[in-house]
Amino acid sequence: MIELGHVLVLAGGLSYEREVSLRSGRRVCEVLKADGIDVETRDTDAALMPAVLADPPDVVFVTLHGGSGEDGAIRSVLELLQVPYVGAAPDACRVAYDKPTAKTVVRSVGVRTPEAVVLPKETFHDLGATAVLGRIVERLGLPLFVKPSRGGSALGGSIVRKAEELPAAMVGCFAYGDTALIEKYIEGVEVAVSVVDLGDGPVALPPVEIVANEGVYDYSARYTAGHTEFFAPARLRPEVADACARLAVTAHTALGLRDISRTDIIVDTDGEPYFLEVNVAPGMTETSLFPMAAAAADEDLGALCRGLLLAALRRR
């Protein structure tokens, strides 16, 4: 029987989502300590590798959001150090972290995803903003949703309901990344479906419905208590909830993910779910969606985290 020894939680990093990552790391540490596990948290700075080499942990739980935490870079370092960790391998992270690429992959296996245009900042400037944006509105119509092609926590994302709002939305997007993903905005119910695999195959947790007070689930709405109302499980017809669960598991599998993921979905007025994006390191804060989904499934968060750590150890 595999026993958990020393566990290291990685949190922090240098992305725009550093503070959220630190909160996720603290939460994971708390639930693991409550479960009697020897656990510590470390940031991803110059002291990390010497510390790991001097006292290698038995397994790592990655709670880094954005940047190197989800693009596979830190996981590549853990592979070099031959330290097992919870979550997807580097190659799968690189594919999932790039939203346009992830959309292409899930579309290839029959999953619906909003029509979109990908526009690098250089193209936006070199070809003339007015001409390019005018054509995008003609092609996709309104409303639109603009967001960076990489990153999370809705940073740099905004809804565009009028054509004259699009230039400002692009500027806001480019503040957080060099490439914009401009999607046709689908009105409907926003839900998130978390997927876990403890060794017997990926299973979807109950979908969580998101209702932001201001109508947009932005950074403030995500991480400020009281700014968003959540329903776990989501207020969906059973067949629609099942369709969302199938979509999340299909995306998880098609993208080659493992252990844990969270897929963001919009359900249109006809009850059809559309894939928006996937997160390979779901938030674990007090207002994060994965813990809500676990609670809706009557799963103890500490027990789930322990199970994920054991799954990572078994791979070694």
Side-chain angles (χ1 to χ4, degrees):
M1 181 178 177
I2 298 175
E3 292 290 340
L4 281 177
H6 179 54
V7 173
L8 177 64
V9 174
L10 289 184
L14 296 176
S15 79
Y16 293 112
E17 299 172 77
R18 174 179 173 80
E19 291 305 315
V20 179
S21 172
L22 289 171
R23 288 168 57 184
S24 286
R26 284 195 294 269
R27 182 81 186 280
V28 170
C29 263
E30 287 170 2
V31 298
L32 290 175
K33 285 180 179 177
D35 209 28
I37 295 171
D38 173 24
V39 58
E40 67 168 327
T41 305
R42 280 196 175 274
D43 209 331
T44 52
D45 53 23
L48 177 62
M49 286 190 66
V52 170
L53 290 169
D55 182 19
D58 292 293
V59 61
V60 171
F61 201 114
V62 181
T63 61
L64 296 163
H65 307 318
S68 59
E70 295 185 68
D71 67 3
I74 287 296
R75 296 158 198 253
S76 293
V77 173
L78 294 174
E79 298 266 355
L80 285 173
L81 295 171
Q82 297 184 307
V83 176
Y85 56 89
V86 170
D91 286 348
C93 286
R94 282 187 279 271
V95 173
Y97 188 61
D98 187 78
K99 296 180 179 69
T101 303
K103 282 167 67 74
T104 299
V105 171
V106 300
R107 186 186 292 113
S108 72
V109 294
V111 173
R112 292 182 184 87
T113 185
E115 188 179 359
V117 171
V118 180
L119 190 62
K121 181 161 58 176
E122 293 80 3
T123 305
F124 177 70
H125 290 301
D126 294 349
L127 298 185
T130 301
V132 173
L133 297 184
R135 184 57 181 162
I136 288 172
V137 172
E138 285 181 33
R139 160 91 181 276
L140 299 180
L142 292 167
L144 299 168
F145 195 86
V146 179
K147 59 186 174 183
S149 66
R150 297 182 168 199
S153 293
L155 291 166
S158 59
I159 297 175
V160 173
R161 298 193 181 276
K162 299 177 181 178
E164 54 267 31
E165 296 172 351
L166 187 52
M170 297 295 291
V171 171
C173 174
F174 288 139
Y176 290 93
D178 293 331
T179 301
L181 174 62
I182 307 153
E183 288 183 316
K184 184 176 181 61
Y185 182 74
I186 296 175
E187 302 280 358
V189 179
E190 189 170 357
V191 298
V193 181
S194 299
V195 172
V196 293
D197 185 352
L198 302 181
D200 297 321
V203 175
L205 298 178
V208 178
E209 179 182 349
I210 303 153
V211 183
N213 292 348
E214 301 299 323
V216 181
Y217 191 45
D218 58 13
Y219 186 90
S220 175
R222 287 167 186 249
Y223 301 112
T224 306
H227 281 212
T228 301
E229 192 172 7
F230 301 97
F231 298 90
R235 301 169 298 177
L236 300 171
R237 299 194 308 273
E239 66 272 19
V240 175
D242 289 344
C244 290
R246 289 194 300 272
L247 186 157
V249 170
T250 299
H252 181 98
T253 303
L255 291 165
L257 306 182
R258 66 187 186 194
D259 298 341
I260 185 172
S261 70
R262 192 200 72 233
T263 294
D264 296 337
I265 298 168
I266 193 80
V267 179
D268 71 10
T269 53
D270 294 325
E272 297 289 349
Y274 285 77
F275 171 91
L276 297 178
E277 59 189 76
V278 69
N279 189 307
V280 300
M284 294 288 184
T285 74
E286 296 78 4
T287 58
S288 292
L289 301 165
F290 183 88
M292 292 183 197
D298 292 325
E299 296 281 358
D300 177 73
L301 184 60
L304 271 181
C305 290
R306 172 190 277 272
L308 291 166
L309 290 165
L310 289 171
L313 271 176
R314 282 194 291 270
R315 277 197 298 275
R316 184 175 62 175

